[in-house]
Amino acid sequence: QVQLVESGGGLVQSGGSLRLSCAASGIMLRGFDVSWYRQAPGKQRDLVAAITDLGTTRYAESVRGRATISRDVAKNTVYLQMNSLKPDDTAVYSCNADRTLLGVHRDYWGQGTQVTVSS
């Protein structure tokens, strides 16, 4: 019943931009911390950006200044705008929604969207 669906990935040239979307159903992102992660083949999954239920944002140093995370409450969607893309950004990007309420932890993952940046 709970589903997070990422979209917006694709093939882009170095220096280009993409806007990734994480659309939720079955839950309301209000009250969740939402994060974008990425994982390249053979590498660990790393946090890219996060936004809290209160709207506080944070970014990995590798994307600081190039990435912007935002949310649209009406669309129940969180976005990741990526600019000045470089080949090292190539990875599967996944979103995660996380909350702890009354001592109960819940988190959900999407299936991911592929971002490929060509040289």
Side-chain angles (χ1 to χ4, degrees):
Q1 62 178 20
V2 176
Q3 190 173 28
L4 301 179
V5 179
E6 300 96 335
S7 62
L11 176 63
V12 63
Q13 294 183 9
S14 181
S17 298
L18 288 172
R19 187 174 179 85
L20 309 182
S21 299
C22 175
S25 60
I27 59 169
M28 300 302 294
L29 292 182
R30 187 202 322 270
F32 282 82
D33 298 338
V34 180
S35 302
W36 283 95
Y37 290 81
R38 68 184 181 186
Q39 186 170 30
K43 297 184 178 180
Q44 66 182 3
R45 180 155 58 189
D46 292 329
L47 178 70
V48 179
I51 185 167
T52 71
D53 57 340
L54 298 179
T56 302
T57 60
R58 59 189 176 101
Y59 300 92
E61 187 63 31
S62 59
V63 302
R64 193 177 305 276
R66 302 188 297 118
T68 303
I69 188 170
S70 62
R71 62 184 174 187
D72 186 328
V73 175
K75 295 182 178 180
N76 205 25
T77 298
V78 170
Y79 302 96
L80 181 67
Q81 177 72 40
M82 294 280 290
N83 301 324
S84 301
L85 287 162
K86 53 187 180 181
D88 283 349
D89 295 319
T90 295
V92 174
Y93 286 70
S94 303
C95 66
N96 170 267
D98 183 295
R99 73 172 176 181
T100 300
L101 183 63
L102 300 177
V104 179
H105 176 255
R106 306 285 193 215
D107 75 282
Y108 306 95
W109 287 91
Q111 293 298 308
T113 184
Q114 176 71 49
V115 171
T116 302
V117 184
S118 62
S119 301

